[in-house]
Amino acid sequence: MRVDVVSIFPDYLAPLELSLLGKARERGLVDLHIHDLRAWAHDRHRTVDDTPYGGGAGMVMKPEPWGDALDAVIESSSAPAGPPVLVVPTPSGMPFDQAVAEQLTRAEWLVFACGRYEGIDQRVVDHYAERLEVRELSLGDVVLNGGEVAAMAMIEAVVRLLPGFVGNPESLQEESHSTGAGLGAGLLEYPVYTKPASWRGLEVPEVLRSGDHSRVEQWRLDQARRRTVARRPDLLTPAALADARIEASVHEYPVSTCATSEKRTLGGVR
Ligand code: JD8
């Protein structure tokens, strides 16, 4: 997969070149190219922003540098044959979630346009939407100062799903938010523990040291349900929510395994 990123803060994307993509690049899974938008701002001050039409606070990114930059990236000789998917991180975008990440793994080429200021002149998106697939995507209901952090999160979420990236692809199925059918499908992760068995007076739940795989499986499912009911009931259908609540009460486990917030939500079972 080829990934191009255009930003006025190209160094912001440098972490991508470290761990994650470092490995993926070595394995030839990803071909990452980072571009400085100002390379396409040709006036003495390399201006990329101007005041908003209609007035209002802040500045808007000018369309011309973006048009020249994206044309150059899209027409670059070393680019894959087909057109890229242009991803524009924006707080007003469609939610970026695991399903969207899985969709984007199917693209050969992604180009990320990272905006700053109050955003990019809308005509840039409108112009390219007539020529290729444009995805305006939001990382979530928090306001960031620009698209770089969102682009990095989106690139990590996509690249780690590429075939050959993770050692055992099965683990991806297990993950929460995955659209796979693993235990975690649709549920939040269950709590995890490792050695020592006792730490600062806190014990690893006995069931996990029992060696009884079915009891462990049941405990993990119960914990995943509890957390989901308590923290993300929106992830569950009303029916699943009702079931999870019943299940959570049926499979009574020592309250100590529940974090304080859950105790409150589950009405402090006992
Ligand atoms: C791109 C400029 C800053 C946004 C005025 C603050 C994504 N989930 C998300 N939150 N914020 C962004 C995001 C913010 C951006 C840009 C993405 C370009 N800004 C602007 C509008 C309000 N400032 C994002 N994905």
Side-chain angles (χ1 to χ4, degrees), residues 89-91 115-119 137-147 150 154:
T90 167
R116 279 273 154 175
Y117 307 99
E118 299 311 301
L137 298 172
S138 170
L139 196 62
D141 300 342
V142 291
V143 178
L144 306 171
N145 278 345
M154 294 173 186

Side-chain angles (χ1 to χ4, degrees), residues 198-203:
S198 178
W199 176 76
R200 296 188 180 183
L202 297 171
E203 304 303 318

